[in-house]
């Protein structure tokens, strides 16, 4: 189980639950220094199960910052590390639509 939360401090928190140990871990993604308004899972990443060989898709997130920028993130399934993807930026109208 994973969840993500946007924050006004410019970070995105990605929480992961380990069912064997019943422990939650958290990783912080440094995003927009002005704050992050929204975060959304890519459909494949929302239901990612690392213990299942049937689902090998990479978890992905998109974030919307107070700078009107969208940032796309991908998780390396072997290391668990999140990295920002290099993609063209969207215009301000597209960013505002995602935030609302």
């Amino acid at each position: 189980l994973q969840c993500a939360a946007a924050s006004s401090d410019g970070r995105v928190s990605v929480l992961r639950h380990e069912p064997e140990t019943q422990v939650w871990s958290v990783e912080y993604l440094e995003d927009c220094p002005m704050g992050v308004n929204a975060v959304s899972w890519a459909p494949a990443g929302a239901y990612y199960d690392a213990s299942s060989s049937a689902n090998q898709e990479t978890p992905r997130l998109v974030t919307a910052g107070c700078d009107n920028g969208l940032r796309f993130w991908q998780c390396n399934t072997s290391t668990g590390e999140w990295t920002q993807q290099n993609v063209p930026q969207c215009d301000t109208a597209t960013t505002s639509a995602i935030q609302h």
Side-chain angles (χ1 to χ4, degrees):
L1 176 64
Q2 294 183 71
C3 64
S7 177
S8 62
D9 69 1
R11 298 187 303 176
V12 174
S13 303
V14 180
L15 294 96
R16 180 175 296 141
H17 183 259
E18 300 297 335
E20 299 83 27
T21 60
Q22 294 298 311
V23 173
W24 285 90
S25 61
V26 63
E27 182 176 355
Y28 298 104
L29 310 179
E30 295 297 329
D31 198 284
C32 175
M34 297 170 58
V36 182
N37 294 320
V39 60
S40 181
W41 288 98
Y47 305 105
Y48 183 75
D49 180 6
S51 65
S52 170
S53 61
N55 184 357
Q56 294 300 316
E57 297 197 49
T58 304
R60 297 174 190 262
L61 294 172
V62 62
T63 59
C66 291
D67 61 354
N68 290 324
L70 295 176
R71 291 168 185 85
F72 296 84
W73 300 84
Q74 181 174 346
C75 183
N76 180 322
T77 55
S78 59
T79 65
E81 183 178 335
W82 288 88
T83 55
Q84 187 175 337
Q85 303 301 288
N86 294 322
V87 295
Q89 288 295 310
C90 298
D91 60 29
T92 304
T94 303
T95 305
S96 295
I98 290 173
Q99 292 176 353
H100 299 264

